[in-house]
Amino acid sequence: MRYADGGGLSERGRATREQVRLQAAGWFARDVPVGEIARRLRVSTNAVYTWRRRWRAEGEAGLASKGPGGSSCRLDERRLARLAEALERGPAAYGFGEDQRWTLARVSDLIARLFHTRYTLRGVSYLLHRMGFSPQVPAHRAIERDEDAVVTWRRETWPAGKR
């Protein structure tokens, strides 16, 4: 399942899930069957078994949220702001002259140059998404394109083929 904030639950979502687990803890104390708890909370029985095992070992503290998952970002807020500014300047400002599109490989290279930190292409993709950037597909047309031939084809050839 994907989440809107770029991965994981929001702070409010984690708090809501924690309340569900704590509600289950109350039922554990009253020996309510696992299947009944799962039905009432609309969760899997496996989740309830896991919660109960943690509750028995650590009490309610074992059911507390552990915070956001995943590894922490290797770039702090100041570096992320500097990266965003660099991306806004465009690829030409950093010697990428062939075209003016940022690719994941180019952004990875830029991060390595600016911060001496290596990211995989997938890691760059996650980082850019978390920063609010999204993939863009440029309107790219061949130089050899003949607009008159395209219009003629759309008007005459394509409708004939649809019949």
Side-chain angles (χ1 to χ4, degrees):
M1 176 179 221
R2 290 274 189 199
Y3 300 98
D5 66 349
L9 290 174
S10 66
E11 187 67 37
R12 192 172 82 197
R14 283 190 298 274
T16 302
R17 291 272 177 95
E18 185 175 340
Q19 289 304 313
V20 169
R21 291 190 300 270
L22 292 176
Q23 187 175 9
W27 290 329
F28 295 151
R30 287 186 259 148
D31 288 327
V32 176
V34 168
E36 178 65 18
I37 295 172
R39 188 186 61 72
R40 288 181 189 178
L41 296 177
R42 296 192 325 224
V43 298
S44 71
T45 55
N46 285 343
V48 178
Y49 279 118
T50 302
W51 298 344
R52 188 176 69 177
R53 191 170 38 252
R54 285 180 17 209
W55 175 76
R56 284 180 175 163
E58 305 170 43
E60 287 189 5
L63 300 176
S65 174
K66 292 176 176 58
S71 59
S72 59
C73 184
R74 288 183 264 164
L75 302 179
D76 58 15
E77 291 301 318
R78 185 178 52 80
R79 287 181 172 177
L80 289 174
R82 190 169 152 212
L83 176 61
E85 290 172 11
L87 293 173
E88 292 298 326
R89 282 191 205 109
Y94 297 95
F96 301 109
E98 304 91 56
D99 62 33
Q100 292 305 296
R101 291 177 284 185
W102 281 114
T103 62
L104 294 177
R106 286 179 174 185
V107 175
S108 177
D109 186 47
L110 179 67
I111 292 170
R113 285 189 213 173
L114 294 176
F115 311 116
H116 306 291
T117 302
R118 287 275 175 205
Y119 270 86
T120 64
L121 298 183
R122 177 169 279 188
V124 171
S125 176
Y126 289 144
L127 178 67
L128 292 175
H129 179 76
R130 190 170 41 231
M131 291 173 64
F133 288 93
S134 63
Q136 302 295 309
V137 180
H140 201 59
R141 302 242 167 132
I143 295 172
E144 302 84 11
R145 184 180 169 113
D146 181 1
E147 289 299 326
D148 294 333
V150 171
V151 169
T152 302
W153 181 86
R154 281 190 182 147
R155 192 175 335 120
E156 298 170 8
T157 308
W158 187 43
K162 286 175 67 174
R163 288 186 215 133

